[in-house]
Amino acid sequence: MIIPDTGAALAPAHGHEALHRRLEDLEHRAAESANVSEARALLEEASRIRYRAQRAEPAGHP
């Protein structure tokens, strides 16, 4: 399964709420998936998004 690039989900204009919703959606879809490969791909995408978001946060910002 190919997961579309979600780099736009990290754009400042979308805010943290959109990022949170995107991560919840990916995790929910992974939990509901009957296909292990699809679930793994969804969780890996969520992990990549979290990592990029953490790297984009200013130092000292929670």
Side-chain angles (χ1 to χ4, degrees), residues 1-5 29 38 41-42 45 48:
M1 174 179 169
I2 297 174
I3 306 293
D5 180 24
R29 288 169 48 201
E38 178 182 0
L42 291 164
E45 178 64 13
R48 283 189 294 272

Side-chain angles (χ1 to χ4, degrees), residues 15-59:
H16 292 285
E17 296 84 18
L19 177 60
H20 183 72
R21 284 192 306 271
R22 176 66 177 151
L23 291 172
E24 282 184 338
D25 176 59
L26 288 168
E27 291 166 351
H28 177 75
R29 288 169 48 201
E32 295 293 320
S33 178
N35 182 312
V36 173
S37 295
E38 178 182 0
R40 180 174 294 153
L42 291 164
L43 291 174
E44 286 174 354
E45 178 64 13
S47 178
R48 283 189 294 272
I49 291 170
R50 268 195 201 88
Y51 177 76
R52 289 191 314 245
Q54 287 174 349
R55 301 225 348 132
E57 285 288 328

